[in-house]
Amino acid sequence: RTGELQRGGSPGGGGGGGSTAYKVLLVAGPQGTGRSELVAKALLGAEDAKDGAKLAAPKVATTRPPKDGEAESGKFVFLDRLSYDQQLRDGKFVTSDDPADNQGKAPWARELTGLRLEDLLEAGSEGKVAVVDCADTNAADRVALALEARSDVSLVGVWVSLSALADFEARLGSAGGKGGEGGEGELSEEDRRAALQAVIGDIEWGVLSGLFDFTVINDDEPRALGELQNAIDFLDRAAGGNP
């Protein structure tokens, strides 16, 4: 059932009663669902709302230099490569680019980006709900692994999908058409088939992972935003937020 609790009666982590220090909404789903756009609109809508849970996206740690206005935006943590590598070795990152993947790349393409645990917890503290938009299943797995055993964290998972595989195919685009998240980029027939296979694999993982409490079918944006808000409200109440 979409838009309703799937996994159990209380969120993971410390959702068994009383209030918890940190609230985290983990959002994942295959490419082509418009997941990131949905999360961005939920965050923007929460900024304008007069009541309800306050949402926050965790800061992103990166080794790349800041672009205009980014240093003051509060959305990034800019680290030099030595500091980033040391913190990566110290286990401070929940997710990160793999430095080994950057071998042989041009210098400008070797920059690393990741999510640190301290930034994730800061976003979900002081009554806020940290909304983590996971780009792939590996990132979702790592976030859940880092948080599920913590008694001070309430974690709720939201899986964003479409109604049928044909809907994914239409969004990804026919051979030579537009495809990908947000509808950008050309897809060859081979790339389209590979993308559909990746979608099928992601859906199977999402069903079997046990990480997701809510499923949101993003084929109608207002309804999908409402269902996402249901998950946020459930987390906020279960973690000891607004009644």
Side-chain angles (χ1 to χ4, degrees):
R1 295 175 294 171
T2 62
E4 298 183 15
L5 185 65
Q6 302 292 308
R7 185 173 59 177
S10 63
S19 62
T20 50
Y22 308 105
K23 295 179 283 189
V24 179
L25 190 79
L26 185 157
V27 185
Q31 72 172 116
T33 61
R35 181 200 68 251
S36 292
E37 291 86 348
L38 193 67
V39 168
K41 289 184 178 181
L43 288 165
L44 186 60
E47 291 179 1
D48 299 331
K50 295 181 180 179
D51 52 15
K54 297 180 180 179
L55 308 184
K59 295 177 183 177
V60 175
T62 181
T63 61
R64 69 169 175 79
K67 300 176 183 177
D68 289 344
E70 285 186 339
E72 300 80 22
S73 70
K75 297 180 179 180
F76 298 90
V77 178
F78 295 99
L79 302 172
D80 60 62
R81 183 56 186 267
L82 288 176
S83 297
Y84 191 104
D85 287 347
Q86 184 60 55
Q87 292 188 38
L88 189 59
R89 287 192 295 270
D90 291 343
K92 294 185 180 295
F93 280 86
V94 177
T95 66
S96 174
D97 295 332
D98 187 346
D101 292 340
N102 290 339
Q103 298 299 321
K105 291 185 178 179
W108 59 268
R110 296 176 189 168
E111 307 297 350
L112 300 177
T113 298
L115 173 62
R116 301 184 303 177
L117 180 61
E118 63 181 276
D119 298 317
L120 173 54
L121 295 179
E122 179 187 10
S125 65
E126 298 179 353
K128 298 175 293 184
V129 173
V131 182
V132 185
D133 177 19
C134 296
D136 53 45
T137 57
N138 182 58
D141 228 357
R142 291 179 64 89
V143 171
L145 184 64
L147 298 180
E148 279 199 317
R150 294 183 61 118
S151 62
D152 58 350
V153 174
S154 287
L155 174 66
V156 163
V158 176
W159 182 254
V160 179
S161 191
L162 300 178
S163 297
L165 193 59
D167 298 327
F168 283 101
E169 189 169 6
R171 288 202 185 183
L172 292 171
S174 58
K178 296 290 183 180
E181 192 82 16
E184 298 181 356
E186 297 280 342
L187 284 181
S188 67
E189 176 67 19
E190 182 179 357
D191 289 342
R192 185 181 66 85
R193 290 179 179 177
L196 285 174
Q197 286 300 315
V199 165
I200 293 170
D202 286 349
I203 292 172
E204 291 176 346
W205 176 88
V207 170
L208 297 174
S209 68
L211 298 180
F212 300 101
D213 307 277
F214 291 80
T215 297
V216 172
I217 302 299
N218 190 22
D219 54 8
D220 179 272
E221 186 177 280
R223 183 180 65 190
L225 282 170
E227 292 176 353
L228 184 60
Q229 186 62 50
N230 288 342
I232 293 166
D233 291 343
F234 171 79
L235 171 59
D236 197 41
R237 290 193 304 269
N242 297 326

